[in-house]
Structures are given as structure tokens and as C-alpha cells.
Amino acid sequence: MIKHVLLRAASVMAVVAGSVVATAPAYAIINGKPATASYSFVVSVQREYGGDPNTQWCGGALVAPTWVVTAAHCVTKPGVDGAPYTPVAPSTWHVRVGSNDRTRGGSTANVAEIEVAPGYVNRADRNDGKDIALMRLDKPMAQRPIALAVVAPAPGEVVRQLGWGYTDIEQNKPSELPVLLRQLDSPVVPPNSPQCVADPVAGDSYGIRPHDFCADYPDDVSGSCGGDSGSPVIQAAFGRYQLAGVQSRAPGDVCGQSPDIDTSVAHYRRWILNAMG
């Protein structure tokens, strides 16, 4: 099962009978546990797929009443004719906000607009970072947004990954995605750690880039997976959680067996605030 593109879901395309169709979400949190708290800001990004109008596709975080942060690869496809990416229509997506159960509770909204970070490029065989995007919702949410981190988490600090991705590397059908939110606490490791830079088999195509950080659970079998793309990576600070990162990818092919590469929200804080207006 391919891990390196957590993504691995939303941006990969397949050609079937001469037409281009979206592939199913790849893999979630392997060896995580059920969420131990209710997170008002957590977002399930959903779309129609395979006859299910509410297929879990990616995650996100509510950062303002009408704005959600997610991964850029969740809302784009590879570019053609020299374009850095091909946008997916905002009307493709809808969200459920503030419920640990992705099928009920919280609030729902449609996506009205998408903003992708400057410099992001969607490639089918590589991720060069800048993997962050904003979704503007068609109505304000009542749930409390999460604060944006001011500084990136340092090596040795612990971050919490949230998500509804697959929980077993043998799973590969959307119907196998968990209904209830899961979490995993992982330490941040130095960005020059060999396992963050490249995978022995897959190389450096999905390794760490500037303005990313690397979280590596030490057992080599735990981590995020495809349905977790775009989901929040949070950190406790000053008595509350802040959004430290956006789940992006991993250098290796098997979920949990290589570290997670997350986009640092602190670096993109000014862009996020300016884009929201």
C-alpha cells in the first residue's frame, strides 16, 4: 500500500476506459487510538465517490468561522501544459466540522472557494512541499476555531496527529475508513534525520522540504496514512491547542514504517491571515 502520498488520495488520478476519474483515498492513523477529547476545530473533508456522497477524503482544521486549512494536494490534481497544478472545483467538496464522528454531529457546509499556497506544485511522482491550502466555506461555523502556531515545533517536542484514515495497512476501500476520529502522539525529530530526508527504497521524492517538520513515532509501525492527508497536527501551548502542522506525506511506501512529513503552519501563518482577509 503506498504511503508516501498520504494523498495519496485526492491528487492521484487514474485513467479508466479512456476517461479520467479520481482514485479512492489511500490510507489513516496506524496504531493510533480513539480520540480522547472532542475537538471543536476538527474537519472531515468529504466528496462523492463510488456512489457514497459523503466519502471521507481528507482532513482539515477550522481556523476561522468560514475558513479551513487542509493540504494542497487534497484539492488539486497534477498540472498540465506547464501549469503547477490543476484545481479541483470547490463545489466538489463539503465538510463536517467539530464532530469526532464523521457521519453525524457538528456542523456541515459546502466549500465556496479554494486558495492554494504560492509556489505549490502538484506532481504525480514527487512532493516538493508548500503543501497547504485554504477552503472558504459557504457559511460561518459556530464551532471554536484553533489558533495558528507562531513557531514550528522543535525536535524533542510532541505533536498530536488527528485523522480518519485507515487503521491497518491491509485496508484500501473507503468503506473501511473509521467513522470515529483517531489520534497519535509523536515526537518531532531533527529535519536532517536520514529517515526524514529519504527512504531507502523510494528515495527523496517525498522527503522533508523547507518549512516542513518531521514527526516519527519510535516503533516504526505507527503513523498517519492516506485518509489522514490535510488533517491537523496539533500541539498544546498556553493551556490550549494550536495548529502546528498539516499532514502531508511520508518518505516511504508503507504506512507507519517511515516518519510523517507535515507542513509547518507557523511558516504560512502570514499567508493564511492575509488570504482570509
Side-chain angles (χ1 to χ4, degrees), residues 108-160:
T108 59
N110 294 318
V111 176
E113 178 187 358
I114 292 172
E115 296 281 348
V116 176
Y120 172 72
V121 178
N122 188 321
R123 298 181 179 178
D125 58 355
R126 185 175 180 86
N127 188 314
D128 283 322
K130 305 179 180 67
D131 192 6
I132 188 169
L134 280 164
M135 292 176 154
R136 183 174 64 82
L137 307 181
D138 67 348
K139 59 184 178 182
M141 299 290 96
Q143 284 75 14
R144 182 180 180 180
I146 188 172
L148 302 174
V150 176
V151 296
E157 295 180 346
V158 173
V159 294
R160 173 167 293 177

Side-chain angles (χ1 to χ4, degrees), residues 63 74 120 185 199 219:
V63 295
C74 287
Y120 172 72
D185 293 345
D199 179 77
D219 66 358

Side-chain angles (χ1 to χ4, degrees), residues 72 74-80 83-90 92-93 114-116 120 122:
C74 287
V75 295
T76 62
K77 300 181 292 186
V80 295
Y85 57 83
T86 301
V88 176
T92 303
W93 315 104
I114 292 172
E115 296 281 348
V116 176
Y120 172 72
N122 188 321

Side-chain angles (χ1 to χ4, degrees), residues 2 7-25 47 49 57 76-78 88 122 124:
I2 297 176
L7 144 165
R8 321 178 191 147
S11 66
V12 180
M13 305 299 288
V15 179
V16 178
S19 62
V20 179
V21 298
T23 61
R47 62 168 291 172
Y49 177 79
W57 202 258
T76 62
K77 300 181 292 186
V88 176
N122 188 321

Side-chain angles (χ1 to χ4, degrees), residues 154-188:
E157 295 180 346
V158 173
V159 294
R160 173 167 293 177
Q161 300 161 295
L162 303 175
W164 286 277
Y166 296 126
T167 59
D168 188 292
I169 61 173
E170 299 303 321
Q171 296 172 332
N172 61 8
K173 299 177 182 178
S175 60
E176 297 174 318
L177 291 165
V179 170
L180 299 180
L181 185 69
R182 297 181 70 83
Q183 68 184 48
L184 178 69
D185 293 345
S186 298
V188 174

